[in-house]
Amino acid sequence: MATSTGMARMLRDLSSGSGPGLISGDPLECARILGVDGVAVSLATGGALSELVWSSPGASERLEDEQYTLGEGPGVDAMGSCSVVVEPDLTRVRPDRWPVLLPTLNGLGVDALFCFPLRIGGVCLGVLTAQRSTVGPLSAAAMDDALILAAALTAVVLDGGERMALFASAESTAQLHRAAVHQASGMISIQAGVSVAQALVLLRAHAYRHEIPLLRAAEDVVARRLRFRDIDDGPDPSFERRG
């Protein structure tokens, strides 16, 4: 499997560890090398994708947030199966495969998706997702580059040292994209008397029902504008706008 000259440069940037985040290198340059419009890397905790750690701005970031909020999509599938998911034409995807996400993808202008698990053996650490606004497969060279990049990103994550430890423990100093979501899940768990995993489901349901981003709902919980209380027929969210 050969590596293009551009990808060789990208791999050197990744291995430098010079950036402030867990992953170095420019995601926009990575997207250009792969011939796509954007890329993103989300890592897993507890067997599910939970934190966006590297992305190009715009549609890729919004795509990761939508998948996280809805709990469905190609990245979720790639994580669950620990295998590559390639959909070069989303108009040909069965509507019942991602029934809630597919209409959202139309609004984002995403027409093709390519997801590569960051795996070591049978364990999936996260997913690299590439998206494009035009229909069509990746070239053979781009597929090779993406597979090599996924392997390199896996090595970066495994060698993340202190920064990876901060991510794993969800410390506030880790500057996590979804730090508020992790904090809100803990708060809801206490308020509603449920597990943290169940609390995240409640938060997702609230965000979906009110058609707001999950991060915004989480920020409302952290700011104590949104509370979940335990009532006889189940946890019930109450909302109060202050200030």
Side-chain angles (χ1 to χ4, degrees):
M1 188 182 296
T3 307
S4 69
T5 302
M7 184 52 64
R9 288 197 307 271
M10 176 59 59
L11 296 179
R12 287 196 295 272
D13 289 343
L14 288 176
S15 64
S16 70
S18 58
L22 179 64
I23 299 173
S24 302
D26 182 0
L28 284 174
E29 175 64 11
C30 180
R32 187 194 65 78
I33 293 167
L34 294 177
V36 296
D37 294 318
V39 297
V41 173
S42 286
L43 299 185
T45 55
L49 294 179
S50 64
E51 184 59 38
L52 176 63
V53 294
W54 194 64
S55 73
S56 50
S60 284
E61 185 173 314
R62 291 178 61 193
L63 168 63
E64 295 302 295
D65 283 342
E66 290 291 344
Q67 290 191 97
Y68 182 67
T69 300
L70 301 173
E72 67 178 34
V76 176
D77 289 358
M79 179 69 201
S81 64
C82 206
S83 60
V84 175
V85 173
V86 173
E87 291 296 345
D89 184 354
L90 291 177
T91 64
R92 301 175 69 88
V93 174
R94 297 190 325 272
D96 61 346
R97 184 174 182 185
W98 306 313
V100 185
L101 181 67
L102 281 175
T104 301
L105 295 180
N106 291 333
L108 293 178
V110 175
D111 291 318
L113 282 165
F114 313 92
C115 297
F116 304 86
L118 310 187
R119 63 188 176 195
I120 178 167
V123 177
C124 189
L125 305 178
V127 175
L128 162 68
T129 298
Q131 59 82 17
R132 195 168 54 203
S133 61
T134 55
V135 169
L138 292 179
S139 68
M143 279 294 294
D144 283 349
D145 277 349
L147 291 168
I148 292 170
L149 176 61
L153 287 166
T154 302
V156 168
V157 171
L158 289 172
D159 194 37
E162 182 180 352
R163 286 177 292 181
M164 187 60 193
L166 288 172
F167 162 74
S169 61
E171 293 284 349
S172 60
T173 52
Q175 297 181 322
L176 300 183
H177 177 70
R178 299 192 181 104
V181 176
H182 301 303
Q183 186 177 354
S185 296
M187 294 173 65
I188 294 169
S189 173
I190 295 171
Q191 292 169 6
V194 298
S195 70
V196 174
Q198 291 171 317
L200 178 57
V201 171
L202 291 174
L203 185 62
R204 281 174 166 163
H206 177 84
Y208 178 68
R209 184 167 58 249
H210 293 276
E211 298 182 340
I212 61 175
L214 184 65
L215 186 58
R216 177 180 158 192
E219 289 169 345
D220 281 335
V221 172
V222 172
R224 294 174 171 78
R225 293 186 295 264
L226 175 64
R227 299 172 184 273
F228 287 72
R229 62 180 183 273
D230 197 13
I231 59 177
D232 291 341
D233 57 352
D236 172 57
S238 60
F239 185 82
E240 179 183 358
R241 176 65 66 181
R242 297 178 180 173

